[in-house]
């Protein structure tokens, strides 16, 4: 794509070109160039799509957090771009709702195949732009493919209920109809999958989708939208059905405010999510909130130690601690505490930290410099609040990117830093003496997303998943807190927002429920035996 003359004159775009030229002979630059080309991207890209590509907002560069390399630039949406896009999406939704659900599923099936064909370069772009290791980047695209498979099957099973009527000659049933326009505001840490969960289900439910991804992963948003747009074009379907409005907090706020957006699905921090929820509720819109997590694993004395150590390693260090389901608190029974800590420290010592595209690397960079600062503050707070760092605790400043050491602390369960979600690989370890105590500590934080118990005791297992057990939306036994499957509903309680995405009955959030009664009797009996004559 040729860069417009007006754009070439901007100083920061000139800086971008000079920065890129410094990397032009490196393997990193070659990898970036090949990846962008495979996905139809360039060094400058338009970030608004509603059947046509445009963009009149700020130009935002995205960088590789592992190297500092500028990957490219995306022209964001202006307020006028958003308004026009919502007009187009509203029209597309009115057309799409009349298409039979199985035929909507066929279009999603084609999207699934198109994504699968691009899974390697798209997964590589996720690694380049977000910073997660390549197997996780490819796995994230696979998650979109999987939810598309699920949505295709769902398109033939959007079932209501027939409800017994107390009145003779009457039939009562439940109908599910499309909402209209779904606005998706997704976060940087899953720049493909979270949109995929929402988009695939929204589409088979008969809605149009308007997407605002994170500004720091705008290239990924554009790449995914290009793939979907080709499928829509091939089927003579308005491109506005899968609209994109790249932008920052101002665009997100306008989406939350706009009555044309029937459902706002927001993934991000609890603080921002609280504002989004209030804004949407003020206009009586619907919101789906997937917010913070402060997840715990409890390891009892009878647990399979090898299984628990391997699980915690992935749960605490995967994606450099930047998952909402990352394990941040580890409760160890006093009988195994010392042995377990020794095993865990040894396992942490074998973790390779580095460029996420290199084979064998298990921990890539944090996404931004601000995240590195939050890591440093978290480590300082641990020490100030009576805890100690028993592994790691350092910023790896000798590396070019935003790298830190995966860290383990020893601290009390009620220290303020333990109750705060720090989006970095910091694992707080705490000793407990009985299961009731551990469950109480699991539940005492504000968040309620994911939790796990490692034990072989049926009594403890069923207590853990019962009414007096974990208060989280995801409650696991002998598996980590992360790595959720698409077949189950994903989401949490309390400050996690209460939303549910992906499987189970999550599709119902993208539709409006109607209770319908049909009188075929020719008479008018009233409910509850009321006589009005």
């Amino acid at each position: 794509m040729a860069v417009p003359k007006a754009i070439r004159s901007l100083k920061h775009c000139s800086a971008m070109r000079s920065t890129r030229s410094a990397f032009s002979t490196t393997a990193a630059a070659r990898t970036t160039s090949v990846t962008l080309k495979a996905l139809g991207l360039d060094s400058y890209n338009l970030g608004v799509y509603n059947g046509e590509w445009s963009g009149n907002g700020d130009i935002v560069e995205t960088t590789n957090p592992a190297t500092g390399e500028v990957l490219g630039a995306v022209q964001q949406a202006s307020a006028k771009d958003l308004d026009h896009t919502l007009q187009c999406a509203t029209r597309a939704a009115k057309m799409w709702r009349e298409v039979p659900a199985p035929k909507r599923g066929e279009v999603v099936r084609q999207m699934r195949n198109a994504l699968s064909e691009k899974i390697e370069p798209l997964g590589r772009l996720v690694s380049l732009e977000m910073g997660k290791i390549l197997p996780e980047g490819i796995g994230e695209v696979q998650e979109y493919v999987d939810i598309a498979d699920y949505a295709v099957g769902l398109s033939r099973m959007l079932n209501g209920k027939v409800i017994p009527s107390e009145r003779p000659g009457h039939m009562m049933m439940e109908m599910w109809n499309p909402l209209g326009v779904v606005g998706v505001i997704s976060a940087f840490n899953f720049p493909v999958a979270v949109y995929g969960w929402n988009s695939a289900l929204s589409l088979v439910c008969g809605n149009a989708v308007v997407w605002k991804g994170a500004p720091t992963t705008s290239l990924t948003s554009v790449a995914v939208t290009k793939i979907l747009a080709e499928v829509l074009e091939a089927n003579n379907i308005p491109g506005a059905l899968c609209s994109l409005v790249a932008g920052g907090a101002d665009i997100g706020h306008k989406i939350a405010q706009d009555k044309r957006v029937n459902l706002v699905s927001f993934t991000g921090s609890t603080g921002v999510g609280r504002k989004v929820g209030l804004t949407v509720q003020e206009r009586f819109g619907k919101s789906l909130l997937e917010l913070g997590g402060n997840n715990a694993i409890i390891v009892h004395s009878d647990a399979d130690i090898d299984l628990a150590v391997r699980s915690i390693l992935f749960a605490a260090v995967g994606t450099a601690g930047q998952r909402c389901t990352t394990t941040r608190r580890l409760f160890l029974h006093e009988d195994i505490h010392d042995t377990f800590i020794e095993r865990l420290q040894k396992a942490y010592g074998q973790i390779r930290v580095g460029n996420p595209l290199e084979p064998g690397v298990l921990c890539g960079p944090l996404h931004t410099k601000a995240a590195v600062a939050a890591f440093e503050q978290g480590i300082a707070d641990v020490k100030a609040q009576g805890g100690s760092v028993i592994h790691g605790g350092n910023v790896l400043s000798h590396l070019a990117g935003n790298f830190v050491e995966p860290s383990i602390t020893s601290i009390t369960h009620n220290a303020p830093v333990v109750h705060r979600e720090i989006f970095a690989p910091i694992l707080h370890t705490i000793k407990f003496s009985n299961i009731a105590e551990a469950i109480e500590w699991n539940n005492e934080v504000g968040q309620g997303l994911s939790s796990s118990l490692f034990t072989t005791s049926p009594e403890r297992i069923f207590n853990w998943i019962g009414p007096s057990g974990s208060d989280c939306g995801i409650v696991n036994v002998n598996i980590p807190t992360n790595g959720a499957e698409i077949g189950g509903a994903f989401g949490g309680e309390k400050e996690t927002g209460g939303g549910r995405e992906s499987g189970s009955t999550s599709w119902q959030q993208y539709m409006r429920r109607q209770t319908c009664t049909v009188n075929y009797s020719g008479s008018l009996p009233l409910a509850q035996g009321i006589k009005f004559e």
Side-chain angles (χ1 to χ4, degrees), residues 294-363:
N294 194 351
N295 315 293
I297 287 180
I298 300 170
V299 183
H300 212 278
S301 56
D302 64 338
D304 181 329
I305 301 301
D306 288 337
L307 182 65
V309 169
R310 285 190 286 118
S311 296
I312 291 160
L313 197 66
F314 172 60
V317 180
T319 325
Q322 297 169 112
R323 289 175 177 242
C324 55
T325 52
T326 292
T327 299
R328 308 198 184 281
R329 298 175 296 145
L330 174 60
F331 300 114
L332 299 170
H333 191 274
E334 58 189 6
D335 290 349
I336 61 162
H337 176 273
D338 293 351
T339 300
F340 197 97
I341 290 293
E342 184 179 343
R343 292 279 301 276
L344 192 62
Q345 288 173 316
K346 183 178 179 181
Y348 264 62
Q350 297 172 353
I351 295 170
R352 276 192 63 195
V353 179
N355 192 314
L357 293 179
E358 291 182 8
V361 169
L362 293 181
C363 183

Side-chain angles (χ1 to χ4, degrees), residues 302 453 455-465 477:
D302 64 338
L453 169 66
T455 184
T456 56
S457 164
E459 178 183 354
R460 282 191 282 269
I461 289 171
F462 286 100
N463 181 42
W464 172 243
I465 66 175
V477 177

Side-chain angles (χ1 to χ4, degrees), residues 405 422 516:
E405 286 182 307
I422 302 171
C516 306

Side-chain angles (χ1 to χ4, degrees), residues 104-119 122 141-152 200 203 227-228 231:
R104 300 194 296 250
E106 165 58 20
V107 174
V108 173
R109 185 192 67 81
Q110 294 176 34
M111 291 176 172
R112 175 250 185 245
N113 290 345
L115 288 159
S116 185
E117 290 173 1
K118 299 282 188 178
I119 193 168
L122 189 53
V141 183
Q142 183 64 48
E143 196 165 350
Y144 193 165
V145 170
D146 291 345
I147 195 64
D149 277 337
Y150 183 92
V152 172
L203 290 174
I227 293 170
L228 304 185
V231 174

Side-chain angles (χ1 to χ4, degrees), residues 48 113 249 291 359 492:
V48 177
N113 290 345
L291 311 178

